[in-house]
PDB file of all heavy atoms in Angstrom:
ATOM      1  N   VAL P 468      -0.090  -2.481   5.246  1.00  0.00           N
ATOM      2  CA  VAL P 468       1.003  -1.549   5.388  1.00  0.00           C
ATOM      3  C   VAL P 468       1.292  -1.370   6.827  1.00  0.00           C
ATOM      4  O   VAL P 468       0.410  -0.949   7.629  1.00  0.00           O
ATOM      5  CB  VAL P 468       0.661  -0.192   4.753  1.00  0.00           C
ATOM      6  CG1 VAL P 468       1.906   0.699   4.780  1.00  0.00           C
ATOM      7  CG2 VAL P 468       0.149  -0.338   3.300  1.00  0.00           C
ATOM      8  N   LEU P 469       2.535  -1.660   7.210  1.00  0.00           N
ATOM      9  CA  LEU P 469       2.991  -1.453   8.625  1.00  0.00           C
ATOM     10  C   LEU P 469       3.978  -0.314   8.604  1.00  0.00           C
ATOM     11  O   LEU P 469       5.078  -0.393   7.962  1.00  0.00           O
ATOM     12  CB  LEU P 469       3.635  -2.702   9.152  1.00  0.00           C
ATOM     13  CG  LEU P 469       4.191  -2.586  10.608  1.00  0.00           C
ATOM     14  CD1 LEU P 469       3.108  -2.328  11.612  1.00  0.00           C
ATOM     15  CD2 LEU P 469       5.004  -3.895  10.948  1.00  0.00           C
ATOM     16  N   TYR P 470       3.658   0.747   9.340  1.00  0.00           N
ATOM     17  CA  TYR P 470       4.516   1.947   9.341  1.00  0.00           C
ATOM     18  C   TYR P 470       5.644   1.854  10.382  1.00  0.00           C
ATOM     19  O   TYR P 470       5.478   1.411  11.479  1.00  0.00           O
ATOM     20  CB  TYR P 470       3.660   3.232   9.568  1.00  0.00           C
ATOM     21  CG  TYR P 470       2.697   3.444   8.440  1.00  0.00           C
ATOM     22  CD1 TYR P 470       1.325   3.228   8.619  1.00  0.00           C
ATOM     23  CD2 TYR P 470       3.136   3.882   7.230  1.00  0.00           C
ATOM     24  CE1 TYR P 470       0.451   3.422   7.598  1.00  0.00           C
ATOM     25  CE2 TYR P 470       2.271   4.110   6.169  1.00  0.00           C
ATOM     26  CZ  TYR P 470       0.906   3.859   6.355  1.00  0.00           C
ATOM     27  OH  TYR P 470       0.045   4.037   5.346  1.00  0.00           O
ATOM     28  N   LEU P 471       6.843   2.253   9.915  1.00  0.00           N
ATOM     29  CA  LEU P 471       8.066   2.248  10.741  1.00  0.00           C
ATOM     30  C   LEU P 471       8.506   3.659  11.036  1.00  0.00           C
ATOM     31  O   LEU P 471       9.591   3.856  11.618  1.00  0.00           O
ATOM     32  CB  LEU P 471       9.173   1.480  10.023  1.00  0.00           C
ATOM     33  CG  LEU P 471       8.769   0.063   9.545  1.00  0.00           C
ATOM     34  CD1 LEU P 471       9.896  -0.531   8.746  1.00  0.00           C
ATOM     35  CD2 LEU P 471       8.431  -0.845  10.746  1.00  0.00           C
ATOM     36  N   ALA P 472       7.747   4.669  10.638  1.00  0.00           N
ATOM     37  CA  ALA P 472       8.047   6.076  10.918  1.00  0.00           C
ATOM     38  C   ALA P 472       6.767   6.818  11.121  1.00  0.00           C
ATOM     39  O   ALA P 472       5.695   6.411  10.669  1.00  0.00           O
ATOM     40  CB  ALA P 472       8.833   6.657   9.723  1.00  0.00           C
ATOM     41  N   THR P 473       6.868   7.909  11.841  1.00  0.00           N
ATOM     42  CA  THR P 473       5.681   8.681  12.242  1.00  0.00           C
ATOM     43  C   THR P 473       5.658  10.042  11.543  1.00  0.00           C
ATOM     44  O   THR P 473       6.645  10.730  11.522  1.00  0.00           O
ATOM     45  CB  THR P 473       5.643   8.891  13.788  1.00  0.00           C
ATOM     46  OG1 THR P 473       5.565   7.615  14.404  1.00  0.00           O
ATOM     47  CG2 THR P 473       4.452   9.752  14.181  1.00  0.00           C
ATOM     48  N   SER P 474       4.478  10.412  11.018  1.00  0.00           N
ATOM     49  CA  SER P 474       4.292  11.699  10.360  1.00  0.00           C
ATOM     50  C   SER P 474       4.574  12.792  11.340  1.00  0.00           C
ATOM     51  O   SER P 474       4.185  12.764  12.529  1.00  0.00           O
ATOM     52  CB  SER P 474       2.849  11.778   9.844  1.00  0.00           C
ATOM     53  OG  SER P 474       2.603  13.043   9.260  1.00  0.00           O
ATOM     54  N   ALA P 475       5.281  13.857  10.867  1.00  0.00           N
ATOM     55  CA  ALA P 475       5.654  15.049  11.633  1.00  0.00           C
ATOM     56  C   ALA P 475       6.730  14.831  12.661  1.00  0.00           C
ATOM     57  O   ALA P 475       7.271  15.734  13.240  1.00  0.00           O
ATOM     58  CB  ALA P 475       4.426  15.678  12.360  1.00  0.00           C
ATOM     59  N   GLU P 476       7.141  13.534  12.783  1.00  0.00           N
ATOM     60  CA  GLU P 476       8.280  13.226  13.671  1.00  0.00           C
ATOM     61  C   GLU P 476       9.511  12.816  12.816  1.00  0.00           C
ATOM     62  O   GLU P 476      10.589  13.418  12.983  1.00  0.00           O
ATOM     63  CB  GLU P 476       7.970  12.137  14.638  1.00  0.00           C
ATOM     64  CG  GLU P 476       9.135  11.728  15.565  1.00  0.00           C
ATOM     65  CD  GLU P 476       8.778  10.601  16.510  1.00  0.00           C
ATOM     66  OE1 GLU P 476       7.583  10.319  16.686  1.00  0.00           O
ATOM     67  OE2 GLU P 476       9.740  10.029  17.087  1.00  0.00           O
ATOM     68  N   HIS P 477       9.339  11.860  11.932  1.00  0.00           N
ATOM     69  CA  HIS P 477      10.402  11.414  11.082  1.00  0.00           C
ATOM     70  C   HIS P 477      10.366  12.034   9.690  1.00  0.00           C
ATOM     71  O   HIS P 477      11.342  11.983   8.949  1.00  0.00           O
ATOM     72  CB  HIS P 477      10.371   9.853  10.975  1.00  0.00           C
ATOM     73  CG  HIS P 477      10.514   9.198  12.274  1.00  0.00           C
ATOM     74  ND1 HIS P 477       9.403   8.607  12.933  1.00  0.00           N
ATOM     75  CD2 HIS P 477      11.580   8.912  13.047  1.00  0.00           C
ATOM     76  CE1 HIS P 477       9.871   8.034  14.092  1.00  0.00           C
ATOM     77  NE2 HIS P 477      11.120   8.218  14.158  1.00  0.00           N
ATOM     78  N   PHE P 478       9.224  12.517   9.297  1.00  0.00           N
ATOM     79  CA  PHE P 478       9.055  13.104   7.928  1.00  0.00           C
ATOM     80  C   PHE P 478       7.806  13.961   7.959  1.00  0.00           C
ATOM     81  O   PHE P 478       6.986  13.941   8.842  1.00  0.00           O
ATOM     82  CB  PHE P 478       8.899  12.012   6.866  1.00  0.00           C
ATOM     83  CG  PHE P 478       7.653  11.155   7.052  1.00  0.00           C
ATOM     84  CD1 PHE P 478       6.502  11.445   6.391  1.00  0.00           C
ATOM     85  CD2 PHE P 478       7.676  10.016   7.923  1.00  0.00           C
ATOM     86  CE1 PHE P 478       5.358  10.670   6.581  1.00  0.00           C
ATOM     87  CE2 PHE P 478       6.544   9.265   8.112  1.00  0.00           C
ATOM     88  CZ  PHE P 478       5.387   9.600   7.447  1.00  0.00           C
ATOM     89  N   ARG P 479       7.711  14.784   6.892  1.00  0.00           N
ATOM     90  CA  ARG P 479       6.477  15.568   6.668  1.00  0.00           C
ATOM     91  C   ARG P 479       5.935  15.263   5.270  1.00  0.00           C
ATOM     92  O   ARG P 479       6.660  14.909   4.344  1.00  0.00           O
ATOM     93  CB  ARG P 479       6.779  17.070   6.806  1.00  0.00           C
ATOM     94  CG  ARG P 479       7.175  17.468   8.226  1.00  0.00           C
ATOM     95  CD  ARG P 479       7.278  18.975   8.399  1.00  0.00           C
ATOM     96  NE  ARG P 479       7.665  19.289   9.793  1.00  0.00           N
ATOM     97  CZ  ARG P 479       6.821  19.367  10.825  1.00  0.00           C
ATOM     98  NH1 ARG P 479       5.529  19.172  10.560  1.00  0.00           N
ATOM     99  NH2 ARG P 479       7.253  19.646  12.022  1.00  0.00           N
ATOM    100  N   GLY P 480       4.606  15.424   5.111  1.00  0.00           N
ATOM    101  CA  GLY P 480       3.947  14.979   3.938  1.00  0.00           C
ATOM    102  C   GLY P 480       3.763  13.466   3.989  1.00  0.00           C
ATOM    103  O   GLY P 480       3.684  12.884   5.051  1.00  0.00           O
TER     104      GLY P 480
END
Side-chain angles (χ1 to χ4, degrees):
V468 185
L469 177 64
Y470 294 106
L471 307 174
T473 298
S474 177
E476 178 181 345
H477 301 103
F478 63 94
R479 295 188 180 277

